[in-house]
Amino acid sequence: MRLVCLLTLLLTALTCAFPGKNVEEEELTVAEEPTSTKSRFAMLDDVRLLANGLLQLGQSLREFVHKTKGQINDIFQKLNIFDRSFYQLSVVTSEIKESEEELKKTTSYLKNNNEEIKNLSLEINTKINSIMQERSQLQSKVWGLEERLSGLSESLLSKEQLSEISTLKEVIIAQERSITDLLKAVREQHEQLNYHKNKIKSLEDKLNFASFQDTAEQKEDSNLEAPNIFQYLTNNSTSASIVTNGLPIDCNEIFNRGERNSGIYPIKPNQSKPFNVYCEFTAEGASTVIQRRQDGSVDFDQTWEKYEEGFGDLEKEFWLGLKKIYSIARQNDSDILQIKLEDWKEQKRSVEYQFSLQGPDSNYTLHLTHLSGNLPNAMTNQTGMKFSTKDRDNDNHTDINCAQSYTGGWWFNACGETNLNGNYIWVRPMGRMVRRRGICWKPERGHSYHLKSTKISIRHTPEAISFR
């Protein structure tokens, strides 16, 4: 708009500076001579006006050119952006096409596999049907042969011989019953003899302990031999000198006597019957191993009686026994329960609890307080729980027996998924474990920790918190 106004102004100035002449005026100038002579040049003001107009026109044109260049540059930038976007879109499109081709190939491959699987399943079904038919045919043939044999036996043997055979069978059955009754009577007598033998041993134990106290008060030689009642312990003990110096109450006392070799030793806690334990010695002290799993050589799916008395081999896999564990634990207000586990990736972890164990009247109720360790705490829910086996259900589950479902005896709390006495299952490094059936350690809301080996031990702590 501004440019149009300038052009209009310029034309007006030119018109004023150079006015036109018509024909009449020319004729008039020829006919008449003017009185005064006019100038052939434009006036100075008109020239200045024209120059200003031209100058403004040039400036306007220059601004217009600059503005147009800027607009053209913007257009080029937008075109470049559009080109880049179009290129990126083309690249994405090509990638999508490639992915689509791969998906088509994968789909066709899966279809082929599905067809192969279907064909294999059909072949397997036909083979199974043929096997079942053959089995039924064999069964019918066997039944026919049995009938023929029975018929032949009846035809070959007379009635008298058959009656003799039947009477002989009855005699044999009667003899078997009498032998069974005799064996039962012998077993009862053997149990009675064992009962009286145990009574005699307990009396001898009390007499020997009294004599041992008398000799200690009289400051006699401490190297006297132990009573004969303990001689059977020396055969399986790591150090026979322990027996000759009087039986210790636990592994800690053996450690204090100077023993440093881990192994099997006899102990006699709380004036109970002496029994062997596996003592593990380190630089810090001693601990008593009460359970070990390492290769599945021992079946831990045992009855309540077995879990009370103990089973296994102290040098390999074993469960020490609830009675023995209780006799060790009751000597102090509380001990440290240490659990060491190794998974199938050969990663070893451990955890420690302060614990106490109640006696058989409470079904060996367990009390735990978590102390330390790099193993996730999974035993908190077991505190205050009674021990359960497949033939004695003491868990909190109202519908099922957890020991039967999970196998092995343990302090189950409505089952849960932590059980160190379950069936030993071999697991490949990338394999999966059968749920509820193996040795597992699963904390609340955590992943199961499938185990290759376990070891549970007790060590004495002088500064203990009482649970009772």
Side-chain angles (χ1 to χ4, degrees):
M1 185 66 185
R2 185 177 179 184
L3 182 61
V4 173
C5 293
L6 289 174
L7 291 174
T8 305
L9 182 61
L10 181 61
L11 291 174
T12 305
L14 290 173
T15 305
C16 293
F18 302 98
K21 295 181 181 181
N22 53 24
V23 178
E24 292 179 358
E25 288 179 352
E26 290 179 355
E27 293 178 354
L28 183 59
T29 55
V30 173
E32 297 179 357
E33 293 181 356
T35 57
S36 62
T37 305
K38 294 183 180 179
S39 177
R40 292 183 301 173
F41 301 100
M43 295 180 67
L44 184 60
D45 293 334
D46 295 334
V47 173
R48 288 178 179 174
L49 181 61
L50 179 60
N52 290 329
L54 291 172
L55 181 62
Q56 291 179 0
L57 178 62
Q59 291 178 353
S60 299
L61 289 173
R62 186 173 62 185
E63 291 176 357
F64 178 73
V65 169
H66 286 303
K67 185 175 181 182
T68 303
K69 286 182 178 180
Q71 291 176 353
I72 291 169
N73 290 329
D74 292 337
I75 291 169
F76 278 120
Q77 290 178 358
K78 290 180 180 178
L79 287 174
N80 289 329
I81 294 171
F82 177 76
D83 289 337
R84 287 196 296 271
S85 300
F86 183 76
Y87 175 73
Q88 293 176 355
L89 182 61
S90 63
V91 171
V92 173
T93 304
S94 64
E95 291 177 353
I96 291 171
K97 288 182 179 179
E98 292 176 357
S99 300
E100 186 178 359
E101 292 296 329
E102 291 179 356
L103 286 173
K104 287 180 180 179
K105 293 178 181 178
T106 305
T107 304
S108 63
Y109 178 73
L110 290 174
K111 286 181 179 178
N112 295 328
N113 286 337
N114 287 329
E115 292 296 330
E116 292 178 359
I117 291 169
K118 287 181 180 177
N119 294 329
L120 289 173
S121 64
L122 291 173
E123 291 178 1
I124 291 169
N125 288 327
T126 54
K127 289 181 179 179
I128 290 171
N129 291 328
S130 64
I131 290 168
M132 294 296 292
Q133 291 176 359
E134 291 177 357
R135 180 185 174 186
S136 61
Q137 292 175 359
L138 288 172
Q139 285 180 350
S140 62
K141 289 180 180 179
V142 169
W143 291 338
L145 289 172
E146 288 179 351
E147 291 177 355
R148 290 180 182 178
L149 288 172
S150 61
L152 287 172
S153 62
E154 291 177 357
S155 61
L156 291 173
L157 298 174
S158 62
K159 292 182 179 180
E160 295 178 355
Q161 290 175 344
L162 291 174
S163 62
E164 288 179 359
I165 290 170
S166 62
T167 54
L168 286 173
K169 287 182 179 178
E170 291 177 357
V171 170
I172 291 169
I173 293 169
Q175 288 179 352
E176 287 180 352
R177 288 177 182 173
S178 62
I179 291 169
T180 304
D181 294 335
L182 288 172
L183 290 173
K184 185 176 180 181
V186 170
R187 193 180 297 109
E188 291 176 355
Q189 290 179 357
H190 183 68
E191 290 177 355
Q192 290 179 359
L193 290 173
N194 285 332
Y195 176 73
H196 292 299
K197 183 179 179 181
N198 291 329
K199 277 190 173 181
I200 293 168
K201 285 185 177 180
S202 62
L203 292 172
E204 288 180 353
D205 186 19
K206 291 180 181 179
L207 292 173
N208 290 322
F209 181 72
S211 64
F212 177 75
Q213 283 186 333
D214 293 337
T215 55
E217 291 175 357
Q218 295 172 4
K219 296 182 181 181
E220 293 182 354
D221 188 6
S222 61
N223 293 324
L224 293 175
E225 293 185 357
N228 293 329
I229 185 64
F230 303 144
Q231 291 300 320
Y232 74 98
L233 295 171
T234 60
N235 296 328
N236 294 323
S237 299
T238 302
S239 177
S241 63
I242 296 297
V243 178
T244 60
N245 294 331
L247 290 180
I249 61 173
D250 57 10
C251 294
N252 190 52
E253 185 175 343
I254 299 174
F255 180 85
N256 292 333
R257 293 185 183 185
E259 291 290 339
R260 294 297 182 268
N261 294 323
S262 299
I264 300 173
Y265 294 88
I267 62 172
K268 191 173 183 294
N270 283 316
Q271 307 308 317
S272 64
K273 294 180 181 179
F275 55 88
N276 285 333
V277 295
Y278 190 93
C279 295
E280 194 172 61
F281 300 128
T282 61
E284 291 77 17
S287 59
T288 305
V289 181
I290 64 172
Q291 186 255 35
R292 185 190 289 126
R293 310 288 301 277
Q294 60 188 16
D295 55 5
S297 59
V298 176
D299 183 13
F300 272 65
D301 192 15
Q302 300 289 341
T303 61
W304 177 267
E305 182 181 2
K306 290 288 187 179
Y307 269 98
E308 267 198 323
E309 299 298 333
F311 53 88
D313 187 350
L314 289 176
E315 293 182 343
K316 297 178 181 178
E317 286 195 342
F318 70 95
W319 172 259
L320 184 60
L322 291 169
K323 289 181 179 179
K324 299 171 185 176
I325 296 171
Y326 171 65
S327 64
I328 295 172
R330 67 182 293 195
Q331 296 181 121
N332 303 296
D333 290 335
S334 180
D335 287 321
I336 300 297
L337 186 73
Q338 186 180 54
I339 299 173
K340 293 183 178 180
L341 307 178
E342 181 182 1
D343 61 11
W344 288 95
K345 297 179 182 179
E346 296 183 354
Q347 295 180 352
K348 297 180 180 180
R349 301 182 187 178
S350 63
V351 65
E352 288 187 346
Y353 295 91
Q354 200 167 44
F355 97 110
S356 66
L357 187 68
Q358 293 180 245
D361 295 335
S362 65
N363 293 314
Y364 304 100
T365 302
L366 181 70
H367 299 277
L368 295 172
T369 299
H370 181 260
L371 294 178
S372 62
N374 58 357
L375 187 68
N377 179 21
M379 291 284 288
T380 302
N381 291 333
Q382 269 74 15
T383 187
M385 292 307 303
K386 301 176 182 179
F387 199 86
S388 295
T389 58
K390 60 185 179 181
D391 59 341
R392 184 172 294 190
D393 187 5
N394 293 321
D395 56 63
N396 286 339
H397 208 294
T398 57
D399 297 330
I400 63 173
N401 184 348
C402 299
Q404 288 182 348
S405 299
Y406 282 58
T407 71
W410 194 247
W411 292 275
F412 292 105
N413 183 3
C415 293
E417 299 210 21
T418 298
N419 179 15
L420 300 185
N421 287 338
N423 283 341
Y424 193 93
I425 295 179
W426 294 85
V427 179
R428 295 190 302 272
M430 297 300 292
R432 298 183 66 184
M433 188 175 178
V434 180
R435 187 173 180 266
R436 295 186 176 184
R437 290 291 179 182
I439 311 171
C440 62
W441 181 272
K442 181 175 181 180
E444 185 179 4
R445 300 176 183 176
H447 296 290
S448 293
Y449 191 55
H450 302 155
L451 303 174
K452 178 182 178 182
S453 64
T454 69
K455 183 170 65 176
I456 307 174
S457 57
I458 300 173
R459 63 182 177 88
H460 173 63
T461 174
E463 300 175 1
I465 300 172
S466 177
F467 287 103
R468 296 189 289 270

